[in-house]
Amino acid sequence: MNFSFISRSAALAVFLLVLQAAVCAAAENLLRNPGAEDGLSQPGAWLPFAAAPAGVHLSWEETVVNSGRRSLGIEVLGPGFGLWQQTVPVAQGQVYLLTGHVAFQGIAEPDSCHLQIVFRDAAGVAISTADFPGHSGTRWFALDFPAKLKVRAPAGAAVADVNCILRSTGRAWFDDLFFGAAPAGRITGTVTSAGLPLPGARVFILSDPWGRRLEAVTGLDGSYVIDNVPSAFPRYILQAEAPGHRSQVKGKVHVAEGVSAAVDFNLLTGKNPADDLRVKFGSIGLVRIAPSPTVPNGAAPPTDASGYPAEVFPYLAPDACITSDHPAVKDRAEKILASLDPQLRRDTYSIAWAVYAWVAQHIEHDGVFFHLPTGGMRQPYKDVTSGIWQTIGDEGWGVGKNIYDWAYRPHELLQIGSGICIEHAWLITALLRALNIPARALLGSLEFWAQDSAMNGVWIGISPTAGRVGYREKGLLSDGFEVVVPTHFSVLSRPMLRADWNAQNAGLWRETHPWEEDYEGSEAGRRQAAADLAAFASSGEAPLPKKIADSGTPPEKICKIYYSDVRINLYNMTEQRFLDVRFPLVTDTGKHWATGDHAYWTNHPGSVVTTWIEEIANHPVAESERWFHILFDLSPILH
């Protein structure tokens, strides 16, 4: 198929003529012909990259589509890259979102196909580029991204190139694209003190969403309005502050398109605590190296709970975190089951796989940007409502009485469609329990129970994040199924986390992502681990272990130090004097066990009142869970 080309400068001139008249209304798609349906010899409004080499073919595809009759296709047979492009007018400072359905086949790593935004000034000079996370391998059409990554147009931006790119050998298709101003709402409310309006108080959204401060100052009646707040996850965090008063934060603020969210504050007189409370914990465990368990042949769930051994009964029950009895969870579970062939609806493997695969295909992990070349949180999206940003970002904060209080419940995650590893694990656990399969949520993964006709069973590991990331990036579903899981689990129905505390009021907190360090499983390796743990208790810094020499044969066991690190802001700690912070110890089983070595570090050692180990048994569950508690007296820090 032959294409005609026009120059970039000519295209920019056309778009700049209408720039002043362009109004980026919420939900208005600025792209023309977003599904590539219209055109004569080429898709209308879309331009192929004029300098593509001979081995790159750009097509107006009629055989591979997400909807309608056509899509944008790219095939790369050798060196070079292919690109479909459309340029649209933008307004500087406006937040935009880009989504589209992408399919790909046989794409070689490390390059990929992906969506891209290039912001340019009125002269056509590129100001900034936002590369969306890419793909390799093979996958049918899926939406990039259900979480709707957003980007703020930089100062001086006049137009944006919306690019569909393939940078490697293989084929890619793009269909049903959207680029437009992010839907927005507002936040309103009043700030009072001792029941009276507090004028001159500053109210702002924490961490500057998408790189801009959104704030307001209260008037004489104590009221405020923050306009043009992009709709996002229901996790905005607001802070109110005023001279002579203690600051207050409120989280889980949901801003919907065209709606005013009401958030009121009542500030107490006084001053803010001068410091946060930071607590780090480490414990040593031994792990026996063994293949990941697999589902026994012929495993099938019994007709009711009585067909299971009593020791797994707690893992069938709903609770405050695993809402397996919620109508939305039960409905989704039944739909997943109904999607199976009738002969597979009594097969444990098929049911568990279907639940895992559905979540991997439909629920986004809102840390997709971790895999960008820039790495970590250093990317242009800066969604301050993202769970990853809030929990482990260097600038982010979560708001809750603890992590259990902060996290989405399974029925909430089904509605929102994007969350972090622990929320994915809770959702899969709830769906399995709703289908009469015992499941227990761990630190961000889970296990389900599979048994044969003689009630001989085994716990099978699932990593939801590996499943979602593998599917989104490469079209692979198997990465997170039948895998090794962490060595901590609860003997109760509720899930296990790496840190917990008993705050009476919801406040700011963040984690450093829990991590592990490996040592040799010998006595010498354990002694080195114990010495490093002692150094950690003194300095708060975790020493790097000596590298384990590769002997050519896998070790029978290894020694691990499990680290956790949590920072708790104390603004909302008003009348609470004591704070109990706890961390789980390794659960003893035949595959892993605690050595008894553990230590903690805190930036406020003088506030530690006492420590103790709590053991929780839940007969007839064979194991018990243990928590290391640190009780703090907050009065020296708060006053």
Side-chain angles (χ1 to χ4, degrees), residues 10 16 57 86 118 153 162 192 202 225 269 273 310 341 351 356 365 382 395 419 446 485 502 541 555 596 613 637:
L16 289 172
H57 304 290
Q86 186 173 155
V118 179
V162 177
T192 58
R202 176 172 169 257
V225 177
T269 57
D341 291 336
I351 298 170
Y356 159 80
H365 183 267
K382 197 178 180 181
E395 303 174 40
L446 71 140
V485 296
N502 71 328
E541 299 298 324
I613 293 177
I637 315 173

Side-chain angles (χ1 to χ4, degrees), residues 147-166:
K148 293 184 173 62
L149 301 183
K150 302 178 182 67
V151 179
R152 189 181 295 278
V159 296
D161 298 335
V162 177
N163 298 328
C164 305
I165 302 175
L166 174 56

